[in-house]
Amino acid sequence: MGFFDRMGGKKGRKKEEERAAEERDSMKQCLEESIQKAFPRMEELLLQKVDGRLETYQASVDAMNKRLRQQAEAVEDLMDEWKEKEAETAECEKRLQEKREREEALVRLVCDYKKQLDMLEERVCGEAVPVREASAAEASRQDAWQKQFRLLREQLAVKEKLCALEAVGTEGEYVDYRIHEVLRALDAEKPEQAGTVAGVHSRGIVYEGKVMEKAEVDAYKIKPERG
């Protein structure tokens, strides 16, 4: 191969490289133009998707806010109702307390009347006139009084039971200082009498398990042995 042939071959390769470079530049320019043309469309599609998602999120937030407002209103209604119930409960408790106080005052009034009745009965029926000193009229009048008091006692016992009142204090029962107030201690004639009620001056009252008035009683004590 001669010199000119070698030179011609180099020129041919150079032209091919130039054409290849031009083709690459052309393809690059076409690609850049295509990208520049496609990018605004892609940006528009992307913005549409973002806007759609934002609208969906906004709708969800609006729905959630609506539910929260409804729940808040429901809570406010419940709070108002609770305050009304609380006020009603306080008023009821106040009335119940006033009722309990009136009820207790009435029971104590009954206790006072009952005590007076016991004292009257003891005064009228307890001081018996000796037979040899009493006239027939006096004995008849005293017997009539005793019958009236027995009848009254029976009637009161029924009414006390209906009113949940319990009369306490009975001769012969053992002394219980929760319900008995011992006025006098008497010597017992028999050992088994020690610690029992010897006599009742006035009976006590227990109302619903609460001692309103203790029974006033005399009690037997053990008679001391003489040395």
Side-chain angles (χ1 to χ4, degrees):
M1 179 179 296
F3 174 77
F4 292 104
D5 292 333
R6 287 196 298 271
M7 291 296 293
K10 291 180 179 180
K11 290 182 179 179
R13 286 196 298 271
K14 186 176 181 180
K15 289 182 180 181
E16 290 179 359
E17 291 174 356
E18 290 177 355
R19 283 197 300 271
E22 291 177 357
E23 289 178 356
R24 286 196 299 272
D25 292 339
S26 177
M27 291 178 63
K28 182 178 179 181
Q29 184 177 0
C30 291
L31 182 60
E32 289 177 353
E33 291 177 355
S34 299
I35 291 173
Q36 289 177 357
K37 292 179 180 179
F39 184 76
R41 179 58 180 170
M42 291 173 63
E43 184 179 8
E44 182 180 356
L45 292 174
L46 182 60
L47 289 175
Q48 288 178 357
K49 289 183 178 180
V50 171
D51 290 341
R53 291 184 179 181
L54 288 176
E55 290 177 358
T56 302
Y57 292 152
Q58 186 62 45
S60 300
V61 171
D62 293 341
M64 187 178 297
N65 288 334
K66 183 178 180 181
R67 288 195 296 270
L68 288 175
R69 286 193 299 269
Q70 291 174 347
Q71 292 177 357
E73 292 174 356
V75 170
E76 289 179 0
D77 293 340
L78 287 174
M79 290 295 294
D80 293 339
E81 185 177 355
W82 179 77
K83 289 179 180 179
E84 292 177 0
K85 294 293 183 183
E86 187 179 27
E88 292 177 0
T89 301
E91 183 65 23
C92 289
E93 290 178 352
K94 180 181 178 181
R95 291 179 181 177
L96 285 174
Q97 180 63 28
E98 293 174 352
K99 183 179 178 181
R100 283 192 292 267
E101 292 175 355
R102 288 195 301 269
E103 187 176 329
E104 186 171 337
L106 287 173
V107 172
R108 294 193 179 280
L109 181 61
V110 170
C111 292
D112 291 340
Y113 278 122
K114 189 172 179 60
K115 191 172 183 179
Q116 295 297 324
L117 180 62
D118 291 337
M119 292 173 63
L120 179 61
E121 182 180 7
E122 184 178 9
R123 183 176 182 82
V124 172
C125 301
E127 299 177 356
V129 180
V131 176
R132 64 178 179 274
E133 299 179 7
S135 64
E138 289 175 344
S140 177
R141 184 168 58 253
Q142 190 176 33
D143 184 62
W145 273 110
Q146 290 175 349
K147 289 180 179 179
Q148 287 294 327
F149 273 109
R150 281 197 298 269
L151 179 61
L152 181 59
R153 288 289 184 190
E154 292 174 359
Q155 293 174 348
L156 286 176
V158 174
K159 293 180 180 180
E160 287 171 357
K161 187 175 181 180
L162 293 174
C163 296
L165 293 171
E166 179 185 359
V168 294
T170 304
E171 186 175 341
E173 66 185 7
Y174 282 98
V175 173
D176 184 345
Y177 289 99
R178 293 174 299 179
I179 60 176
H180 296 139
E181 182 179 354
V182 179
L183 302 182
R184 295 186 302 173
L186 306 177
D187 292 333
E189 296 296 334
K190 300 177 182 180
E192 60 268 20
Q193 289 179 326
T196 62
V197 175
V200 180
H201 295 281
S202 64
R203 302 191 72 188
I205 291 291
V206 175
Y207 178 64
E208 293 184 344
K210 181 179 180 181
V211 178
M212 305 301 298
E213 188 77 21
K214 289 185 177 182
E216 295 180 348
V217 301
D218 295 334
Y220 284 119
K221 64 178 179 179
I222 298 177
K223 189 176 181 178
E225 296 181 359
R226 295 179 180 180

